[in-house]
Amino acid sequence: MSDVPHYNMFIDGQWVEGSSVWGVKEPSTGETCATVAYGGVSYTDRAIEAATRAHTEGVWRKKTPAERADVLDRIHQILSAKVEDLAHLVASENGATVRCATAFHVGVALGSLKYFADQTRVYEFRKANEPTQLPLPAQGYIHRDPVGVVGAILPFNFPLVLGIWKIGPALAAGNTIVVKPDENTPQTLLEFAKAAEEAGLPPGVFNVVLGDGEAVGGRLAEHPGIRKIAFTGSTEVGKIVMRGAASNVKKVTLELGGKGPSIILDDANLDLAVRGSLFAFLMYNGQVCESGTRTFVPRALYDDVVQLMVEATKTLKIGDPHDPDTDFGPIIDQEAVDRIQQMVAHAVEQGATVAYRGALDLDEKFRGGTWVAPVILSNVTNEMDIARNEAFGPVGVVIPYDTVEEAIEMANDSEYGLAAGVWGGDEERAIDVASQLEAGTVWVNDWHMFPLTGPFGGFKQSGLGRELGAHAFDEYTEEKYIHVAANQDLQQRAYGLLFGHS
């Protein structure tokens, strides 16, 4: 493993060795593509202590918003010069195709960082209220102060994007932060640490700790020194994080699982709707929390849509994620492969039909990797396990409906509510259907698009709070009200209620 890059953890402005070394596997081949220092609770505590000290000293929070924005801009500039290298890191450790990595994993991440830098200059950290006369003349001021030390726990699938969606507003608001990447995909966050160091971010303000999720993530969730936890991952683990955070009542943002419904209306452009619905559940090999994995189709169009989906999926090229011509890559690890295959098998046992299962005709180099070809299941009902639980892989189910009201009812019949989509020719009608769907994001004739001005988050068990949008910084600040009496006249005070006899 001497010919692969090695990364240490980044704590208090220093690159720190761990108690052991973790090998990062390339999903497409099964080979080690990097090694990283691996820590645990003691390293997490060390990072929290550094972040706490930096916050207390005020080396970052006392800078003006413009000064903080300038540092974020410098980080953005440094990373923007490395787009191609970052995309190939993603293709290696994530298994995303290099096209997907460039556009989404890296492109969206850097666009988001620039957006947060720009927002730092215009966000109202201080705002004067209108003077009031009741109960007595006074002037009020609303301050939005940094919460303190933020803990960020990230999943494997979009580490840089989802990392920046937390790091950006946290740093912009003047907080310090400890980041825990997924052990399978840490490299882009460590590259961010290099850029932060080069850009002049003060020691202790930004820290990266690597290690087991239960140990490092659990410690971040429960540690009393962490005043805000931001987590993206499964609903099951999100509940554990929430319980840990409850022990000392810290602020929490949770972006959790999904089982997105994609409703094709009877007046939809079928070319657009079919390819869009496939993109909805196959982008990044199906490993996206807001994927559209349930496609609802009018019964009269059902057979035609299934066939069109099958024919379009057959054209996808599966193979080397580093090849720009590749459309579809591997799954993150063998545990995920086993889970996906078991869920498909169980769906068939419950009565589903495999309308299509892609073939894996791979070069010998990739036969040690972890692969699942795209699967389309027909004859699925909304009550089947495959329609209710998140496979987190390239599995889409197609469900018929008789009325739009029935489609909406089935779409909302889920404990998840992260994202949904509607495909239709009549835009007003499609928007009306979208307005009835219980999801934090609803696309009309599109999917996986994230304008940075739009808030992102889930209904129901898909999470708490929102990322992106004009109010993203609200999640990383505490609102303080400062009341200033209009004068110093003792007679114009409520003190008389207490000292009425004098």
Side-chain angles (χ1 to χ4, degrees):
M1 293 191 294
S2 60
D3 59 340
V4 300
H6 176 76
Y7 294 85
N8 288 334
M9 292 177 282
F10 190 67
I11 300 174
D12 201 13
Q14 302 293 319
W15 293 96
V16 178
E17 279 287 5
S19 54
S20 61
V21 174
W22 176 268
V24 179
K25 301 292 185 182
E26 190 161 355
S28 63
T29 64
E31 298 175 356
T32 300
C33 60
T35 59
V36 295
Y38 214 57
V41 171
S42 64
Y43 292 88
T44 310
D45 288 348
R46 180 175 168 183
I48 295 170
E49 289 167 7
T52 302
R53 183 169 59 253
H55 181 72
T56 301
E57 293 172 353
V59 65
W60 180 247
R61 64 181 169 86
K62 291 180 181 178
K63 290 185 180 294
T64 66
E67 289 172 331
R68 294 197 294 267
D70 287 344
V71 176
L72 294 178
D73 272 338
R74 287 198 292 275
I75 297 172
H76 174 264
Q77 291 165 4
I78 293 165
L79 292 175
S80 294
K82 302 178 179 179
V83 168
E84 186 174 343
D85 291 341
L86 291 171
H88 279 284
L89 280 182
V90 171
S92 293
E93 68 175 9
N94 285 79
T97 66
V98 73
R99 292 204 320 268
C100 180
T102 302
F104 287 92
H105 291 76
V106 179
V108 172
L110 296 184
S112 300
L113 182 58
K114 179 59 178 171
Y115 170 77
F116 290 132
D118 292 342
Q119 285 294 110
T120 309
R121 297 183 174 94
V122 299
Y123 182 76
E124 289 189 301
F125 290 100
R126 305 284 185 268
K127 181 174 70 173
N129 273 6
E130 291 292 327
T132 181
Q133 300 301 314
L134 294 174
L136 289 170
Q139 173 67 63
Y141 299 90
I142 296 174
H143 287 208
R144 299 214 67 111
D145 292 347
V147 298
V149 182
V150 173
I153 305 172
L154 306 176
F156 78 85
N157 58 344
F158 287 87
L160 193 59
V161 172
L162 298 174
I164 285 175
W165 286 5
K166 298 160 181 60
I167 297 163
L171 293 181
N175 299 286
T176 60
I177 188 167
V178 179
V179 178
K180 191 272 178 206
D182 186 276
E183 55 269 29
N184 288 311
T185 58
Q187 292 181 87
T188 52
L189 268 301
L190 291 163
E191 291 294 333
F192 185 98
K194 289 181 182 180
E197 181 183 33
E198 183 180 342
L201 197 66
V205 173
F206 179 78
N207 307 270
V208 181
V209 180
L210 304 172
D212 178 73
E214 186 174 349
V216 176
R219 184 60 172 162
L220 287 174
E222 69 180 14
H223 195 291
I226 298 285
R227 296 312 316 156
K228 155 77 186 216
I229 196 80
F231 170 82
T232 298
S234 71
T235 297
E236 179 183 359
V237 177
K239 292 175 181 178
I240 296 171
V241 170
M242 195 171 182
R243 284 194 290 270
S247 65
N248 41 65
V249 197
K250 57 171 58 74
K251 290 169 71 77
V252 177
T253 300
L254 302 174
E255 194 261 282
L256 307 176
K259 195 67 185 176
S262 176
I263 299 177
I264 298 178
L265 299 177
D266 56 10
D267 65 343
N269 176 327
L270 286 190
D271 286 339
L272 182 74
V274 165
R275 290 181 178 270
S277 294
L278 289 171
F279 179 60
F281 80 86
L282 291 178
M283 199 269 274
Y284 180 40
N285 318 329
Q287 299 170 117
V288 188
C289 51
E290 37 72 38
S291 287
T293 52
R294 294 181 294 153
T295 304
F296 294 95
V297 181
R299 195 173 298 276
L301 297 175
Y302 186 79
D303 291 341
D304 289 341
V305 167
V306 171
Q307 186 59 34
L308 287 169
M309 293 178 77
V310 168
E311 292 304 318
T313 308
K314 286 179 179 179
T315 68
L316 297 178
K317 179 181 177 181
I318 304 173
D320 184 358
H322 293 275
D323 183 347
D325 290 334
T326 298
D327 301 308
F328 191 89
I331 301 301
I332 190 64
D333 58 24
Q334 189 59 46
E335 181 181 354
V337 170
D338 293 342
R339 181 192 67 248
I340 296 163
Q341 290 176 339
Q342 288 167 9
M343 291 185 72
V344 171
H346 183 57
V348 173
E349 291 173 0
Q350 289 189 316
T353 299
V354 178
Y356 179 75
R357 189 196 302 265
L360 292 174
D361 183 17
L362 300 168
D363 293 343
E364 185 175 351
K365 174 184 177 181
F366 301 111
R367 292 175 188 170
T370 45
W371 299 81
V372 174
V375 176
I376 298 172
L377 297 173
S378 60
N379 297 321
V380 174
T381 66
N382 207 44
E383 292 72 35
M384 291 181 180
D385 291 340
I386 195 66
R388 307 200 71 79
N389 301 315
E390 191 173 35
F392 219 69
V395 180
V397 304
V398 193
I399 301 172
Y401 69 84
D402 293 304
T403 66
V404 174
E405 291 73 22
E406 180 191 12
I408 295 169
E409 182 179 358
M410 288 192 292
N412 289 336
D413 183 17
S414 171
E415 285 302 308
Y416 295 114
L418 188 56
V422 181
W423 308 87
D426 183 335
E427 186 174 292
E428 288 304 314
R429 180 189 182 212
I431 291 173
D432 178 65
V433 173
S435 70
Q436 299 178 65
L437 298 179
E438 297 169 352
T441 297
V442 184
W443 289 284
V444 174
N445 293 323
D446 216 335
W447 209 287
H448 294 308
M449 293 295 104
F450 292 101
L452 302 177
T453 54
F456 176 66
F459 284 25
K460 298 184 279 191
Q461 292 194 42
S462 285
L464 299 171
R466 293 294 183 267
E467 296 181 312
L468 298 179
H471 297 284
F473 292 5
D474 294 359
E475 302 280 358
Y476 294 87
T477 57
E478 291 284 11
E479 193 172 41
K480 176 194 292 179
Y481 180 72
I482 297 178
H483 174 98
V484 181
N487 57 61
Q488 298 188 37
D489 185 351
L490 181 60
Q491 300 304 313
Q492 294 191 39
R493 293 294 181 277
Y495 305 165
L497 296 174
L498 180 62
F499 298 106
H501 62 281
S502 58

